[in-house]
Amino acid sequence: MDFIDYYKVLGVDKKASTEEIKKAYRKLARKYHPDLNPNDPEAEKNFKHVNEANEVLSDPSKRRKYDEYGKDWQHAEEFEKAKRSRSQKGQQQNTSGYTYSRSGGSAQDFSDFFESMFGGGSPGFGSAGQRVRFRGQDYNAELQLSLMDVYTTQKQTLTVNGKNIRLTIPAGIEDGQTIKIKGYGGSGIEGGPDGDLYITFSITNNTSFKRDGANLYKTVEIPLVKAVLGGETQVETLTGKVKLKIAAGTDNGTKVKLKGKGFPQYKKEGQFGDLYLTYTVKIPKNLTQEQKSLFESLEKTNLT
Amino acid sequence: MKEEQYISVKTFCERHGVVESFVYSMYEYEILQLEYDKDQGKLLVEDLPLLEKMVRLHNELDINPEGIQAIYHLLDQVKSLQQEVASLKKKLDTLQ
């Protein structure tokens, strides 16, 4: 657990007045507020630090204790006692606390350093404790699946906060896609509606295919002779091998589209994207003497 | 059943400590929808997360309704740009 210099966080001097602290805090809060920085974990982290610094420095008694014991918190026995009593108090405060995190509990928004010194807190903008949450908190969860898992529609049961959720994951769901499950977030307060659960899918691709939406891409090597003379080759698709004809004179980089051999289209049952193959012509190495002679003979024909 | 999908503007404002005119200005700026029942404004429950976000910006950052309208449109643009960047990154990945 590292010491956090709250003065540094707010960019103020140790002798800064309450007004200066408030001003510095407001400035940084506007810069890092999560509502103004969507999908920016770095801003959210900074905002929490700024919030925490303000929580301590704007409260004269906390500021005094921080100034006195801050750096030596590990050796302050008296502090430990105080911490225990505050910790209990803090837990009570948290029940009506207000949090900017859309995913965590209120106390979790503070650093370990803060928790060890002050116990739980009432995060937010000073007046936070007076606010009553009306709608339950939204929860965020991540579900990891493989590409092959999402090739077919899946049924899974998840347990979130003690509630079992039977989830149908439609085939073709995208990496990073988020679905909302209404009413499975935190409980509403004083009759308010429950929050929602947001599940973001993290899809790992361990296949040789690259995916872009419902289309798949793959590079296929073909021997030089086959590229020149034409022939057949077997190509692996997600549903098995297919035999393909290679036209005589196939260039390196030639693209072939296999219609309907791609990935399932999201929420369009029975519809599939396409598979795009790019041929790369393999230049033979380590020729035998006979093969070398044949190439030399070929060269003499002035073939271009 | 239908009643459960709405919350009166008055109740919302009491809970969140904002004046009713704030909610009506959000409606005027087309940030949210309102229904009326005997001259009483009602909010769609689905709009609550968005409105709560606007209340936070108003209360915590001292941003006035005009500023919130501008932020609302800019955040909309940020969101679509983020989606575009993500999709372009994926395309770039498939080309590499």
Side-chain angles (χ1 to χ4, degrees), chain B residues 19-58:
Chain B
V19 290
E20 288 185 35
S21 62
F22 175 82
V23 176
Y24 290 109
S25 62
M26 294 297 102
Y27 169 66
E28 278 166 29
Y29 292 144
E30 298 178 349
I31 290 173
L32 51 86
Q33 303 172 57
L34 277 184
E35 299 276 329
Y36 282 91
D37 182 13
K38 293 173 191 166
D39 292 339
Q40 275 280 331
K42 292 191 301 183
L43 288 157
L44 270 169
V45 167
E46 279 186 6
D47 280 343
L48 290 184
L50 176 66
L51 184 56
E52 284 169 347
K53 187 192 220 178
M54 302 308 162
V55 169
R56 285 197 294 273
L57 295 175
H58 180 59

Side-chain angles (χ1 to χ4, degrees), chain A residues 5-153:
Chain A
D5 188 339
Y6 291 139
Y7 291 100
K8 210 172 164 184
V9 170
L10 291 185
V12 293
D13 189 78
K14 288 204 172 173
K15 288 173 186 163
S17 66
T18 313
E19 198 50 44
E20 283 169 327
I21 285 168
K22 191 178 167 187
K23 204 175 156 189
Y25 168 61
R26 291 238 164 231
K27 193 176 151 191
L28 292 169
R30 279 198 189 101
K31 188 176 173 185
Y32 295 123
H33 197 287
D35 286 332
L36 297 177
N37 294 275
N39 305 319
D40 186 346
E42 197 58 32
E44 194 171 334
K45 200 174 104 188
N46 286 331
F47 183 74
K48 282 175 185 168
H49 288 161
V50 167
N51 221 12
E52 188 175 302
N54 180 61
E55 180 79 15
V56 175
L57 301 184
S58 65
D59 180 326
S61 70
K62 280 182 184 165
R63 186 178 178 182
R64 200 173 54 245
K65 279 163 197 160
Y66 174 76
D67 287 344
E68 199 173 346
Y69 296 109
K71 278 181 181 168
D72 302 313
W73 59 273
Q74 281 170 308
H75 310 293
E77 202 175 312
E78 282 178 26
F79 225 86
E80 286 298 309
K81 286 180 193 167
K83 181 187 80 180
R84 278 192 284 277
S85 65
R86 279 187 205 99
S87 179
Q88 286 176 348
K89 193 180 166 194
Q91 280 167 14
Q92 286 163 6
Q93 285 171 344
N94 284 340
T95 56
S96 62
Y98 184 89
T99 174
Y100 295 99
S101 167
R102 308 289 171 263
S103 55
S106 50
Q108 288 159 13
D109 289 337
F110 288 85
S111 69
D112 290 345
F113 174 73
F114 181 97
E115 294 288 329
S116 78
M117 285 191 76
F118 305 107
S122 54
F125 280 69
S127 60
Q130 295 161 13
R131 296 209 179 124
V132 178
R133 179 171 284 277
F134 177 72
R135 185 176 169 276
Q137 195 177 8
D138 288 339
Y139 291 151
N140 290 304
E142 191 183 91
L143 189 59
Q144 289 200 338
L145 295 167
S146 73
L147 191 69
M148 289 315 292
D149 286 337
V150 295
Y151 187 77
T152 50
T153 295

Side-chain angles (χ1 to χ4, degrees), chain A residues 25 33 93 109 134 140-141 154 179 188 206 208 234 244 304:
Chain A
Y25 168 61
H33 197 287
Q93 285 171 344
D109 289 337
F134 177 72
N140 290 304
Q154 296 248 332
I179 60 168
N206 298 322
S208 56
Q234 271 202 338
L244 289 180
T304 53

Side-chain angles (χ1 to χ4, degrees), chain A residues 188-257:
Chain A
I189 285 176
E190 294 193 23
D194 291 347
D196 301 324
L197 169 66
Y198 289 87
I199 297 178
T200 303
F201 292 88
S202 170
I203 296 161
T204 48
N205 183 356
N206 298 322
T207 70
S208 56
F209 301 92
K210 282 188 174 172
R211 180 187 178 197
D212 179 23
N215 291 331
L216 295 174
Y217 297 82
K218 186 177 178 157
T219 304
V220 177
E221 272 192 346
I222 52 168
L224 175 67
V225 176
K226 223 172 246 186
V228 174
L229 302 176
E232 281 187 343
T233 190
Q234 271 202 338
V235 175
E236 194 98 40
T237 71
L238 276 181
T239 47
K241 286 182 177 173
V242 292
K243 212 177 257 185
L244 289 180
K245 275 191 178 169
I246 296 171
T250 294
D251 279 324
N252 193 31
T254 299
K255 284 185 169 60
V256 175
K257 182 169 97 174

